[in-house]
Amino acid sequence: MLLRCLKAELQKCRRSPVWLAFVLLPVFPAILGTMNYLGNIEVLDNAWYSLWSQHTLFSSMFFLPALLGVFCAWQWRLEHADHNWNSFMTAPVPVRDLCLAKLIYAAAVSLLSQVWIGALFVLSGKLAGLSGPLPPELPEWLLCGAMGGAAVCAVQLYFSLRIRAFAPPVAFGLVGGIAGLMATTQGFGYAFPYSLPCIGMRANNPAMELDVVPFLLSACAYTAVFTLLSIRYLRRRDVSAE
């Protein structure tokens, strides 16, 4: 049943305009980060690591939460529109699989976003004239950022399910990213879901350190809890012509 749900979600995603946001939004922090790096190159003298700090300063805290918020809101917007809710709720598949399919695709977008951010980082470094090998930790930064993004997706999917309008969940993602920055600076980042992409990508972290166990526990806990909340909400929700 889960496979059928995944195929259905894939058909919805193929020609979606949301992919335009996926392509364009990460470009802006790449440009801003590169310009900031070139403007302060006398101080930012650690080559690739300094450039990464400037890229992630913008992407992990502002643009990435917005991108994930847009995709998650769009996923549920399709079900909320017209009379699609009745068809969705009466589909001959478990509610669990319906929610998991959306989470899997949202997590895949989180991973693809990290790959795209990594590609823009490499391209920006070459254009900025950086030489030398790339940071060997780059794949780990991207993977941990994707895991933190998956936790954000679980939260965003829950609120996008509960809120029928498209804009409020997206705004919630933007506010969450700013709140995540504040939580991280106050030392509470591991306890707040919107801080996890920032922590995983080592944004604003000169030592490039990560407490792996708290990070994994927090990411898995938020993903599991908010997915279960979505499933519980759908199971208790009556079918109605909305």
Side-chain angles (χ1 to χ4, degrees):
M1 290 296 184
L2 179 58
L3 183 59
R4 291 176 57 188
C5 294
L6 289 171
K7 290 180 178 179
E9 290 295 323
L10 179 60
Q11 290 179 351
K12 298 174 186 177
C13 293
R14 277 179 176 172
R15 298 183 179 180
S16 167
V18 78
W19 293 111
L20 185 62
F22 167 81
V23 173
L24 292 180
L25 282 180
V27 173
F28 294 105
I31 295 174
L32 292 173
T34 304
M35 292 177 60
N36 199 42
Y37 169 76
L38 293 175
N40 299 275
I41 199 168
E42 297 84 2
V43 179
L44 303 171
D45 56 357
N46 201 11
W48 288 104
Y49 291 90
S50 295
L51 179 62
W52 179 253
S53 69
Q54 300 309 300
H55 273 227
T56 55
L57 181 65
F58 295 102
S59 62
S60 67
M61 300 174 187
F62 303 105
F63 289 90
L64 186 58
L67 171 60
L68 299 178
V70 167
F71 185 77
C72 293
W74 172 82
Q75 281 186 295
W76 280 112
R77 178 60 181 166
L78 293 177
E79 316 305 344
H80 288 313
D82 300 325
H83 296 285
N84 293 344
W85 185 259
N86 286 355
S87 300
F88 178 80
M89 292 296 292
T90 55
V93 293
V95 167
R96 176 193 67 248
D97 292 345
L98 295 172
C99 289
L100 288 178
K102 292 186 182 295
L103 176 63
I104 289 171
Y105 275 108
V109 167
S110 176
L111 179 59
L112 289 174
S113 299
Q114 291 294 326
V115 173
W116 181 222
I117 288 171
L120 290 171
F121 166 68
V122 175
L123 177 61
S124 299
K126 296 299 183 181
L127 292 176
L130 292 180
S131 58
L134 291 169
E137 306 94 340
L138 180 60
E140 180 195 346
W141 298 340
L142 298 177
L143 180 59
C144 290
M147 293 184 63
V152 171
C153 288
V155 177
Q156 286 291 139
L157 283 171
Y158 175 70
F159 286 108
S160 297
L161 167 63
R162 297 293 303 265
I163 304 171
R164 290 178 55 83
F166 180 84
V170 176
F172 192 85
L174 287 170
V175 174
I178 298 172
L181 171 60
M182 298 173 62
T184 302
T185 57
Q186 295 297 318
F188 302 109
Y190 289 95
F192 191 67
Y194 290 88
S195 300
L196 296 179
C198 167
I199 292 174
M201 297 171 71
R202 316 300 200 274
N204 199 28
N205 185 353
M208 298 297 179
E209 296 175 346
L210 176 69
D211 290 332
V212 177
V213 174
F215 175 80
L216 292 178
L217 288 176
S218 183
C220 292
Y222 276 111
T223 302
V225 167
F226 277 90
T227 301
L228 290 174
L229 286 174
S230 296
I231 294 172
R232 181 176 180 270
Y233 177 80
L234 284 178
R235 285 177 174 170
R236 296 166 63 92
R237 180 73 179 237
D238 291 333
V239 177
S240 59
E242 299 190 54

